[in-house]
Amino acid sequence: MTLRKRTAGAVAGAAAGLLLALGAAAPAQAAGYRYWSFWESGAGKWTYATQGPATARPADGAAVGFRFALSEDSADAAKPTAAPDFDAVCDGVEKTPGTKRVAVVVDFGTPKDAPAGEAPPKTAPTTGCARIDGKGTAADALAAVAEPLRYDSSAMLCGIAGYPEKGCGEAVASAAPPEETTAGSAEETAAASAGKDDGGDGPSLGLLVGGGVVLALGGAAIWKSRRRA
C-alpha cells in the first residue's frame, strides 16, 4: 500500500471517528443547529464564509452578511435575504485615507428560528455601511453597525444587536426518530462530506461541527502515517 493510500485511509478514519463522537455528544433526534452564519459577497451573491468574521478582512467595497437561522447542516444554511449590494448600502459614504467601507447585512431570521421565549427584533434585514480601519476585520465592521455583540469563550459569534439573549449554536431536537449509526455509515458520511466541497455556498463540514478538530485529527493521522513509512 502506498503512503498516499495509507494517509488517506488514516484521515478518513479520523474524520469518521469524529463524526461518531459528535453523534454521541449531540442530542438524539437532532434536527440541526440554531446559530449566526457568516457570509461574504462574491459575483453579486452570498457565499458561505470559509473563515470566521474575526479573521476575515474584507476589502473596501465588499459586503458581509450574517443570518440567524436553524440549519440542518452547513450546506442547508439560510442566506441573508437582502442582496449584497454595496452601492446601495454605502451610497454617499466617502472613503477616507487609511479606512475602508464595508456593507453589512444583518438578517435576524424568522420567528420559527427563534429560541424559546424570544422573537427576532426585526422582521426585515438591517443594513449599515461600516467605515473601519484599512486592516479591519468583518467583526470590526459588524461591531460598527450592530452592537452589542456576544461571543462565547471560544470566540464564536453568539449574538448580534442583543439577539438572541442567550445560547450559542445549540443542537435542536427533532420529533423524528433517530437513525441507527454504525462505524461503516460514519465513514461513508465522512467521505461524502469531504466530496461536498465543490465550490458551493457552504463548507462541507459546517461552522458548528468542529472543522478545526477535523483538521487537527487529519494532521495527526498524516504525521503518524509518515512516521510509520
Side-chain angles (χ1 to χ4, degrees), residues 123-172:
T123 56
T126 63
T127 62
C129 186
R131 184 161 54 190
I132 58 175
D133 182 83
K135 296 181 179 180
T137 65
D140 295 328
L142 177 63
V145 301
E147 286 189 326
L149 306 181
R150 181 169 58 85
Y151 292 88
D152 70 1
S153 59
S154 63
M156 179 176 170
L157 180 62
C158 303
I160 297 177
Y163 179 75
E165 294 182 359
K166 57 185 179 180
C168 196
E170 302 88 349
V172 179

Side-chain angles (χ1 to χ4, degrees), residues 61-164:
V64 294
F66 300 84
R67 170 69 188 266
F68 189 78
L70 171 61
S71 301
E72 184 174 337
D73 55 40
S74 61
D76 137 274
K79 301 177 183 180
T81 54
D85 191 342
F86 172 82
D87 291 336
V89 175
C90 289
D91 182 39
V93 178
E94 298 292 332
K95 185 179 184 299
T96 58
T99 68
K100 58 186 175 184
R101 299 156 301 165
V102 179
V104 180
V105 176
V106 177
D107 190 331
F108 295 96
T110 65
K112 70 180 181 63
D113 293 323
E118 295 195 54
K122 295 183 179 180
T123 56
T126 63
T127 62
C129 186
R131 184 161 54 190
I132 58 175
D133 182 83
K135 296 181 179 180
T137 65
D140 295 328
L142 177 63
V145 301
E147 286 189 326
L149 306 181
R150 181 169 58 85
Y151 292 88
D152 70 1
S153 59
S154 63
M156 179 176 170
L157 180 62
C158 303
I160 297 177
Y163 179 75

Side-chain angles (χ1 to χ4, degrees), residues 3 6-11 14 216-229:
L3 173 60
R6 289 199 303 270
T7 299
V11 173
L217 287 175
I222 292 171
W223 178 81
K224 288 180 181 178
S225 296
R226 289 177 176 172
R227 188 176 183 186
R228 286 198 299 270

